[in-house]
Amino acid sequence: MQVRYFVTVSRSEAEIAYSRLGVAFEDEGAPVAITEIDEAADRWEVAAYLDAGDEAEADTDRTEEFRNIAGLGPDAEIGREALPDQDWMAAVLAELKPVRAGRFVVHGAHDRDKIGAHELSIEIEAGLAFGTGHHGTTAGCLTMLDRVVRLRRPRSALDLGTGSAVLAIALAKLARVGVVATDVDPVAVAVAEANVGANGVSALVETARADGFAAVAIRRRAPYDLIVANILAGPLIALAPGFRRHATSRADVILSGILTGQAAAVRAAFRAQGFVHVDTLTLGAWVTLHLRRASA
């Protein structure tokens, strides 16, 4: 049985709550949704669909957990409603509109007919892996990828922490280049492989499980002209030396999963490894960085 917890707040509050809830409940595979309720009044709803166990456990109240994780004050009115059993991940994604970022359109099968002739379609269906394009980090990476590849087409690329493989698929379709797409979570790797096949880029994208840069698939194709990593600020900082070891001279690096207050620390960690800042894109509470490795 599942329980839906929800709150209606301003857009800025909703984006922060959505981001924090998504990270916190990712291991549970719990869907988190953000929906515009009233544009004029700046009212947005954030909801999380949490497992409540069997009927005997349905009275377990996770309202305060929802409130604390979302960073909401004591006056925020948290709604709670029990739901019948169904695939709520599929239901949430079915209601999401296509997301356009640069030349890309991320969409579900139900929106295939809404893709323009000159747009690059990335079809992502319901799954347990993070990354549908609706989150500011994914949209930021897609937009930045479009900017970077317009100017410098890579010969080899790595998508570190691929999730649903949306970024690897985007790279393969845009640059027609080989991409290694890895994730520490074997479920994410399986979902990524299925999405790669569904988007017709299996010949270009190799999926593999990897803890950071520790994988045969990564070493075999290194070094890379372009590395994209949409994970979190802490792991990015810890992995900064690995980026240097696996990047070519003048390689482009695109990083996200970074809150605005964390960007300076991430930039400092990579600057210490010889990467220079090129560009920053901010979407809501999240930042996407474009860095470049200095010449050897």
Side-chain angles (χ1 to χ4, degrees):
M1 185 173 182
Q2 288 185 315
V3 175
R4 175 176 179 266
Y5 295 85
F6 57 95
V7 66
T8 301
V9 290
S10 68
R11 176 175 178 173
S12 60
E13 293 173 304
E15 288 178 338
I16 293 172
Y18 173 69
S19 301
R20 295 180 60 166
L21 290 164
V23 171
F25 294 129
E26 184 176 3
D27 288 344
E28 292 187 31
V32 177
I34 181 171
T35 307
E36 185 179 44
I37 303 298
D38 187 333
E39 181 179 5
D42 187 28
R43 305 309 291 165
W44 292 67
E45 181 186 88
V46 181
Y49 298 76
L50 306 180
D51 188 5
D54 57 29
E55 291 187 8
E57 299 172 311
D59 287 336
T60 301
D61 192 343
R62 300 178 69 178
T63 299
E64 290 309 308
E65 180 185 7
F66 178 94
R67 181 192 306 279
N68 293 334
I69 291 172
L72 301 168
D75 295 333
E77 296 184 8
I78 313 299
R80 177 177 178 269
E81 59 179 344
L83 301 171
D85 288 332
Q86 75 174 78
D87 187 348
W88 286 102
M89 177 67 84
V92 168
L93 291 182
E95 295 177 358
L96 294 177
K97 298 177 181 178
V99 170
R100 286 172 167 81
R103 283 172 279 182
F104 304 110
V105 183
V106 185
H107 63 93
H110 56 288
D111 281 321
R112 287 175 183 167
D113 60 343
K114 299 178 182 177
I115 311 306
H118 300 292
E119 294 178 315
L120 291 176
S121 161
I122 304 174
E123 187 171 304
I124 303 292
E125 287 305 312
L128 296 179
F130 176 81
T132 65
H134 293 79
H135 196 279
T137 60
T138 311
C141 283
L142 288 171
T143 302
M144 196 70 83
L145 278 175
D146 190 20
R147 294 179 184 177
V148 170
V149 174
R150 281 178 188 270
L151 300 174
R152 305 179 76 205
R153 181 175 176 177
R155 292 169 297 178
S156 59
L158 170 63
D159 178 9
L160 191 71
T162 193
S164 66
V166 62
L167 301 178
I169 294 166
L171 262 171
K173 289 196 171 190
L174 181 62
R176 305 307 300 175
V177 65
V179 184
V180 178
T182 66
D183 203 284
V184 69
D185 182 356
V187 173
V189 175
V191 172
E193 186 173 3
N195 286 332
V196 166
N199 282 271
V201 290
S202 294
L204 292 172
V205 180
E206 177 184 1
T207 58
R209 184 185 177 281
D211 186 355
F213 288 94
V216 172
I218 293 177
R219 292 195 299 271
R220 185 170 59 244
R221 294 201 191 183
Y224 298 92
D225 299 318
L226 174 59
I227 303 176
V228 57
N230 181 14
I231 42 180
L232 293 172
L236 287 174
I237 290 170
L239 290 168
F243 278 82
R244 178 175 177 83
R245 290 194 300 271
H246 293 83
T248 62
S249 176
R250 304 287 294 166
D252 292 297
V253 170
I254 297 173
L255 308 175
S256 199
I258 306 164
L259 290 165
T260 53
Q262 301 169 329
V266 174
R267 286 174 57 177
F270 278 78
R271 185 166 56 249
Q273 297 299 322
F275 290 88
V276 297
H277 175 254
V278 179
D279 196 10
T280 295
L281 175 64
T282 302
L283 294 176
W286 296 94
V287 165
T288 300
L289 298 176
H290 174 202
L291 309 175
R292 183 170 294 147
R293 184 182 170 185
S295 299

